[in-house]
Amino acid sequence: MNLETDPHDRFGDEVPFALHELFYSRTDPRGVIQAGNEIFRRVSGYDWSELIGAPHKIVRHPDTPKGVFRLLWDAIQKGHPMGAYVKNRAKNGGWYWVFAVLLPIDGGYLSVRLKPVSELSGRIQKFYSELSARERDETLDPEQSVAILRAQAEASGYASYTAFMAYALSLELAERDRQLRRAVDARTSMLGEMNEAMAKLTKEQIGLLRSFEALQSVPNNMRIVASRLEPSGGPVSAISENYKASSVVISERLRQFVAGRDNLCAQMAWQVARALFLLGCSRVLPEMNREFREEETHEKIDFAEERTLLAQLEVKGISDARAAMLSAADFAAQMTQQSRDIRRQMLGLDTIRVLGRVECGRMRDSSEGLSATIDQLDSFHDDIKSRLEAIMRLSEVVKHSLTRYLRLEQAAA
């Protein structure tokens, strides 16, 4: 269908818009539309008189799960950028898919949309269809829907839905460049590198937490074995008590490191995701501003003022992205240092474990249960140290990628 003709001729059809087209809408704090560009008006099928002053849900499609809108709204109300795949509905019932990036701005919110074309977008569309059907059939409330969306993100290897959508944005930007036959953008490539590293880091975090949890039972098992092998206060009992006392300190460090809502790994993942959203915006805003056209006017929209606002947001976006990257780099450095500290503390546990192995050898035939317990310690220690090494390595990858990005931005300035 020719994009210059009316895209709303047939009820229920997909509304076309070109891959190179970017569109935006701006709302007040309540989500009431204040302005937008001509592409938004054309694709939505409404006149400006119908859009200005209307709630943004005027373009909401029921096939987009309610949980998606809850996640977006919760994030931007807290002042955080957020993105998501969204199926929108046009005036005549037609539909169109977008990847929307939402930004809190003075006096409300800005939503920039691009056409999703990555392989991930197809999978998300199928998932949305299934989830929206569940919402209707099982009468799920938005929070239950949010829980399912977050579980999907975690199953995909991401620490949060924010991190998952930051990954999605980098995919969409890279595939969009490829299909538009543009040169590979170094900044977008770095977004991909950081996303990949963060996904791997999250996987290591989950594995470290599991090994940490399993390790808690070993000192108790050792005490039980000791009670069968020797009188109270014997060498094996002393070794188990020493191991327990030393492991308590490490357990607390590990708990702060990988467990709980505000653990260091999660904080770093969130900071990186925030930086990636802002970096993505710093790519699309300038392009959208260059293509900004004033094909129609409306008494309630000052397009000259909109241009000024978008230009200011472009500058602010670069500044905010730089600040977020510096914060993420600081968390990456903390991750590396914490990993080193925990690894060093593990060496003390290794010494106690070796003493247990020596005592096991001294007891020979009667130490079968103790030997199995020490074997468990060997396995957990090796796994924890291996994952700490991986976390240190991946944290450095993230830190170096962030540093390289900052240098590119400085060179381009």
Side-chain angles (χ1 to χ4, degrees):
M1 186 181 292
N2 190 328
L3 290 176
E4 296 304 317
T5 63
D6 184 358
H8 305 280
D9 291 338
R10 293 174 294 172
F11 182 84
D13 285 348
E14 179 177 5
V15 180
F17 64 97
L19 182 57
H20 72 271
E21 292 184 306
L22 296 167
F23 58 100
Y24 85 97
S25 52
R26 180 171 61 81
T27 75
D28 68 9
R30 299 171 299 154
V32 174
I33 299 171
Q34 303 295 298
N37 61 356
E38 172 57 21
I39 302 170
F40 168 55
R41 189 213 61 76
R42 190 195 80 219
V43 176
S44 71
Y46 291 94
D47 294 329
W48 282 125
S49 59
E50 297 172 292
L51 289 170
I52 304 304
H56 206 280
K57 65 182 179 182
I58 192 174
V59 295
R60 182 178 296 187
H61 197 290
D63 284 354
T64 301
K66 297 174 184 175
V68 173
F69 296 113
R70 174 62 62 87
L71 283 166
L72 289 170
W73 190 246
D74 285 351
I76 60 176
Q77 281 194 310
K78 293 174 182 175
H80 308 317
M82 187 56 167
Y85 292 98
V86 176
K87 185 178 183 180
N88 281 335
R89 181 164 60 184
K91 180 179 179 179
N92 77 330
W95 52 270
Y96 55 98
W97 281 96
V98 298
F99 187 90
V101 179
L102 276 70
L103 293 170
I105 61 174
D106 290 341
Y109 311 105
L110 186 84
S111 173
V112 181
R113 274 94 85 194
L114 54 88
K115 191 179 189 72
V117 287
S118 75
E119 181 272 337
L120 176 62
S121 68
R123 289 192 280 127
I124 292 294
Q125 289 175 25
K126 181 176 182 296
F127 180 78
Y128 275 17
S129 177
E130 295 168 352
L131 180 53
S132 58
R134 284 189 62 185
E135 286 183 342
R136 291 189 292 269
D137 296 343
E138 302 173 28
T139 321
L140 300 179
D141 63 35
E143 284 304 318
Q144 290 172 308
S145 182
V146 164
I148 294 171
L149 288 162
R150 284 177 172 155
Q152 178 216 24
E154 291 172 6
S156 300
Y158 291 87
S160 66
Y161 200 76
T162 304
F164 186 36
M165 287 299 100
Y167 161 70
L169 176 58
S170 69
L171 282 186
E172 295 301 338
L173 290 173
E175 182 59 19
R176 183 170 179 270
D177 285 343
R178 189 188 72 79
Q179 292 194 24
L180 290 173
R181 300 180 183 276
R182 294 173 175 173
V184 175
D185 183 79
R187 296 172 301 171
T188 303
S189 296
M190 287 182 197
L191 298 186
E193 287 177 14
M194 283 185 271
N195 271 311
E196 185 177 352
M198 285 306 306
K200 291 178 180 178
L201 196 148
T202 299
K203 182 179 179 181
E204 295 297 338
Q205 172 196 357
I206 292 170
L208 183 60
L209 180 58
R210 287 173 180 165
S211 289
F212 153 64
E213 290 172 342
L215 188 64
Q216 306 309 296
S217 63
V218 176
N220 291 331
N221 294 341
M222 194 180 294
R223 281 202 309 277
I224 292 170
V225 171
S227 67
R228 297 171 183 165
L229 296 176
E230 62 186 13
S232 178
V236 177
S237 297
I239 289 170
S240 68
E241 290 299 328
N242 287 338
Y243 189 94
K244 181 180 179 182
S246 298
S247 67
V248 165
V249 178
I250 298 177
S251 295
E252 185 56 35
R253 289 292 296 273
L254 279 171
R255 186 175 290 107
Q256 295 172 3
F257 194 54
V258 298
R261 189 174 181 83
D262 295 323
N263 68 78
L264 187 58
C265 289
Q267 289 183 67
M268 176 179 160
W270 186 87
Q271 287 289 347
V272 170
R274 174 180 169 82
L276 295 183
F277 270 126
L278 290 167
L279 292 172
C281 291
S282 73
R283 269 214 60 197
V284 299
L285 273 173
E287 183 180 340
M288 189 179 69
N289 293 351
R290 287 195 301 271
E291 298 298 321
F292 193 102
R293 292 177 294 180
E294 300 172 17
E295 297 170 357
E296 287 192 15
T297 60
H298 188 272
E299 61 182 7
K300 292 187 178 179
I301 302 179
D302 185 335
F303 283 105
E305 187 176 319
E306 289 300 304
R307 283 180 178 276
T308 300
L309 172 64
L310 292 172
Q312 291 172 344
L313 288 176
E314 186 179 329
V315 173
K316 184 176 184 298
I318 293 171
S319 175
D320 288 348
R322 185 176 293 115
M325 291 177 78
L326 288 170
S327 180
D330 181 59
F331 273 103
Q334 290 183 53
M335 287 274 288
T336 300
Q337 187 57 52
Q338 289 268 22
S339 297
R340 286 178 180 150
D341 290 346
I342 295 171
R343 186 183 58 177
R344 186 166 54 250
Q345 289 179 315
M346 287 295 296
L347 294 176
L349 282 185
D350 281 340
T351 301
I352 300 172
R353 176 173 57 90
V354 169
L355 290 175
R357 180 67 71 189
V358 170
E359 193 62 29
C360 182
R362 185 184 67 78
M363 292 181 170
R364 295 179 182 171
D365 296 340
S366 62
S367 65
E368 183 176 340
L370 180 59
S371 178
T373 302
I374 299 298
D375 287 343
Q376 277 187 309
L377 286 179
D378 290 345
S379 176
F380 290 140
H381 280 220
D382 289 344
D383 186 69
I384 288 172
K385 285 186 286 186
S386 173
R387 294 190 185 281
L388 287 169
E389 291 286 347
I391 288 172
M392 281 190 287
R393 184 174 65 254
L394 292 167
S395 296
E396 287 300 309
V397 168
V398 172
K399 182 181 175 183
H400 289 154
S401 293
L402 291 165
T403 303
R404 283 167 55 209
Y405 197 109
L406 285 167
R407 287 173 181 164
L408 273 178
E409 289 293 327
Q410 289 171 351

Short mmCIF file of all heavy atoms in Angstrom, two decimals, residues 53 66 82 98 145-146 160 247 276 280-281 323 329 387:
data_model
loop_
_atom_site.label_atom_id
_atom_site.label_comp_id
_atom_site.label_asym_id
_atom_site.label_seq_id
_atom_site.Cartn_x
_atom_site.Cartn_y
_atom_site.Cartn_z
N GLY A 53 -5.69 16.81 23.88
CA GLY A 53 -6.61 16.81 25.01
C GLY A 53 -7.23 15.46 25.30
O GLY A 53 -7.94 15.29 26.30
N LYS A 66 -2.26 -5.75 29.79
CA LYS A 66 -2.36 -4.64 30.74
C LYS A 66 -1.09 -4.48 31.56
O LYS A 66 -0.73 -3.38 31.96
CB LYS A 66 -3.54 -4.89 31.68
CG LYS A 66 -4.89 -4.93 30.99
CD LYS A 66 -5.99 -5.32 31.98
CE LYS A 66 -7.34 -5.47 31.28
NZ LYS A 66 -8.38 -5.96 32.21
N MET A 82 11.81 4.04 30.13
CA MET A 82 11.38 2.65 29.98
C MET A 82 10.96 2.42 28.54
O MET A 82 10.60 3.38 27.83
CB MET A 82 10.22 2.35 30.93
CG MET A 82 9.80 0.89 30.98
SD MET A 82 11.14 -0.24 31.41
CE MET A 82 10.24 -1.72 31.77
N VAL A 98 4.70 -1.05 17.49
CA VAL A 98 5.81 -0.12 17.68
C VAL A 98 6.70 -0.63 18.81
O VAL A 98 6.26 -1.43 19.65
CB VAL A 98 5.33 1.30 18.04
CG1 VAL A 98 4.50 1.89 16.92
CG2 VAL A 98 4.56 1.32 19.36
N SER A 145 -0.33 -9.89 35.69
CA SER A 145 0.25 -9.81 34.35
C SER A 145 1.71 -9.35 34.41
O SER A 145 2.57 -9.88 33.70
CB SER A 145 -0.57 -8.85 33.47
OG SER A 145 -0.06 -8.78 32.17
N VAL A 146 1.98 -8.36 35.26
CA VAL A 146 3.36 -7.88 35.45
C VAL A 146 4.26 -9.01 35.92
O VAL A 146 5.40 -9.16 35.45
CB VAL A 146 3.38 -6.71 36.45
CG1 VAL A 146 4.80 -6.46 36.95
CG2 VAL A 146 2.81 -5.45 35.83
N SER A 160 15.94 -8.07 35.13
CA SER A 160 14.69 -7.34 35.29
C SER A 160 14.05 -7.14 33.92
O SER A 160 14.69 -7.34 32.88
CB SER A 160 14.94 -5.97 35.92
OG SER A 160 15.70 -5.15 35.04
N SER A 247 32.28 -19.13 57.47
CA SER A 247 31.36 -19.04 56.34
C SER A 247 30.25 -18.03 56.59
O SER A 247 29.66 -17.50 55.65
CB SER A 247 30.75 -20.41 56.02
OG SER A 247 29.90 -20.85 57.06
N LEU A 276 21.47 2.31 28.89
CA LEU A 276 21.21 1.84 27.54
C LEU A 276 19.95 2.49 26.95
O LEU A 276 19.92 2.84 25.77
CB LEU A 276 21.07 0.32 27.52
CG LEU A 276 22.34 -0.46 27.89
CD1 LEU A 276 22.11 -1.95 27.77
CD2 LEU A 276 23.51 -0.05 27.03
N GLY A 280 20.05 4.78 23.72
CA GLY A 280 19.18 4.52 22.58
C GLY A 280 18.41 5.77 22.19
O GLY A 280 18.27 6.10 21.00
N CYS A 281 17.91 6.48 23.20
CA CYS A 281 17.19 7.73 22.94
C CYS A 281 18.10 8.77 22.29
O CYS A 281 17.67 9.54 21.42
CB CYS A 281 16.63 8.30 24.23
SG CYS A 281 15.29 7.31 24.92
N ALA A 323 25.82 10.51 32.48
CA ALA A 323 25.78 10.36 33.94
C ALA A 323 25.41 8.94 34.32
O ALA A 323 25.99 8.36 35.25
CB ALA A 323 24.77 11.35 34.53
N ALA A 329 29.39 2.38 35.39
CA ALA A 329 30.81 2.02 35.42
C ALA A 329 31.30 1.91 36.87
O ALA A 329 32.12 1.04 37.20
CB ALA A 329 31.64 3.04 34.66
N ARG A 387 32.50 -18.85 39.34
CA ARG A 387 31.50 -17.82 39.02
C ARG A 387 31.98 -16.43 39.43
O ARG A 387 31.68 -15.44 38.75
CB ARG A 387 30.17 -18.16 39.70
CG ARG A 387 29.53 -19.43 39.13
CD ARG A 387 28.12 -19.64 39.62
NE ARG A 387 27.57 -20.91 39.14
CZ ARG A 387 27.09 -21.11 37.92
NH1 ARG A 387 27.10 -20.12 37.03
NH2 ARG A 387 26.60 -22.29 37.58
#
